[in-house]
């Protein structure tokens, strides 16, 4: 519920101000799409299986669940990586250079992210890697435990770990460290804090927000990655069901954090959410007259 409501608010506000969206903000929209997609397509089946105390459906539903989880997970990771790279380029480039990052460029980048994620999600279906149930039996993912004696499976895990986790994570860390150093040097050159330009303060806030989004995602998935790698080299029975279950639930909670981070750091987003609340409370009455429509336009123009 938190994931769907929060990210739906992000998407609704993005639609309302679509003409005003800057190119990097399209990546935020893409991240919200991936989070909502995961919640709508996967969570109901997992919740029903939890109530049933066993996986609902057979192998087909298990592959469906695991494939979508892998697809949306890789898409989110690569989107965060792209956000970090673009923020680094914008921070370290002149204004004329940063303007070269157009909406078309970002749209192409988003399309490449989805194609890359889809490629990795399909590979287990064509024989490189496997999908299977989690050790606790109420959800499905990459069948980590099948890679004990399989060179084919182990090569898939190693390559996937490097290209979908390690390299993107290192890129994110390197980009934000570079941005932090740039901001630190800029603040050192300004002795009087009252003379810091508003643009520099905004840049610092946007960077901090992006860092928190990345940290929340990586922190949520790290325990799950650790438990998964444990099951590669050890028997799945060596982990208690609750020990295997909690990291999985914590990883899935990553889809709910981003809207709260936006709400804390973005005054614009807070105002837009309040307007959405008013629209939901008053329904069509608020927009039934031409006067209210004119007021809405004047608010967005402002």
């Amino acid at each position: 519920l938190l994931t769907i409501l929060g990210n739906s608010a992000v998407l609704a506000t993005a639609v309302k101000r679509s003409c005003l969206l800057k190119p990097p903000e399209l990546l935020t929209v893409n991240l919200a799409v991936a989070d909502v997609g995961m919640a709508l397509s996967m969570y109901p089946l997992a919740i029903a299986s939890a109530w049933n105390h066993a996986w609902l459906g057979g192998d087909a539903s298990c592959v469906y669940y695991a494939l979508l989880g892998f697809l949306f997970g890789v898409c989110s990771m690569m989107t965060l990586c792209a956000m970090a790279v673009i923020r680094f380029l914008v921070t370290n480039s002149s204004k004329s250079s940063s303007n070269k990052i157009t909406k078309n460029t970002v749209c192409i980048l988003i399309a490449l992210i989805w194609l890359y994620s889809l490629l990795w999600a399909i590979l287990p279906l064509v024989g490189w890697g496997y999908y299977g149930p989690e050790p606790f039996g109420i959800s499905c993912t990459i069948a980590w435990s099948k890679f004990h004696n399989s060179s084919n499976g182990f090569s898939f895990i190693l390559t996937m770990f490097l290209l979908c986790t390690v390299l993107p994570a290192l890129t994110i860390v390197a980009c934000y460290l570079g941005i932090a150093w740039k901001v630190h040097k800029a603040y050192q050159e300004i002795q009087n804090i009252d003379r810091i330009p508003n643009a520099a303060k905004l840049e610092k806030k946007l960077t901090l927000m992006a860092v928190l989004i990345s940290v929340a995602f990586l922190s949520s998935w790290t325990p799950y990655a650790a438990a998964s790698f444990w099951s590669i080299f050890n028997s799945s029975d060596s982990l208690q069901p609750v020990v295997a279950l909690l990291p999985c639930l914590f990883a899935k909670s990553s889809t709910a954090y981003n809207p709260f981070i936006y709400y804390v750091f973005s005054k614009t987003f807070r105002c837009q959410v309040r307007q959405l609340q008013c629209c939901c409370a008053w329904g069509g009455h608020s927009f039934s007259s031409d006067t209210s429509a004119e007021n809405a336009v004047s608010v967005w123009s402002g």
Side-chain angles (χ1 to χ4, degrees), residues 121-249:
I122 290 175
L123 286 176
L125 300 182
V126 297
W128 197 29
Y130 313 97
Y131 286 134
E134 300 268 18
F136 46 85
I138 57 171
S139 69
C140 295
T141 185
I142 297 171
W144 307 96
S145 59
K146 286 188 178 181
F147 302 141
H148 286 294
N149 302 313
S150 170
S151 58
N152 173 40
F154 189 77
S155 64
F156 171 77
I157 286 294
L158 184 61
T159 309
M160 182 273 294
F161 182 65
L162 288 175
L163 297 182
C164 298
T165 304
V166 175
L167 287 179
L170 290 178
T171 302
I172 290 170
V173 171
C175 287
Y176 288 132
L177 285 177
I179 294 171
W181 177 252
K182 175 82 173 181
V183 172
H184 173 69
K185 295 296 288 184
Y187 272 63
Q188 273 190 333
E189 294 173 1
I190 304 173
Q191 300 297 327
N192 186 356
I193 195 166
D194 294 329
R195 295 173 56 193
I196 296 176
N198 288 333
K201 294 178 181 178
L202 178 61
E203 187 70 34
K204 184 177 180 180
K205 180 182 285 189
L206 289 174
T207 300
L208 181 58
M209 183 174 73
V211 168
L212 285 177
I213 291 170
S214 300
V215 168
F217 184 85
L218 293 174
S219 300
S220 300
W221 282 93
T222 298
Y224 180 75
S228 299
F229 267 84
W230 174 269
S231 64
I232 292 175
F233 301 104
N234 301 273
S235 172
S236 300
D237 298 332
S238 61
L239 288 177
Q240 294 294 325
V242 68
V243 177
L245 174 63
L246 290 179
C248 182
L249 294 178

Side-chain angles (χ1 to χ4, degrees), residues 42-57 65 137-139:
M42 297 170 57
Y43 294 175
L45 186 55
I47 293 169
S49 297
W51 282 104
N52 188 53
H53 299 281
W55 179 252
L56 290 176
Y65 185 94
I138 57 171
S139 69

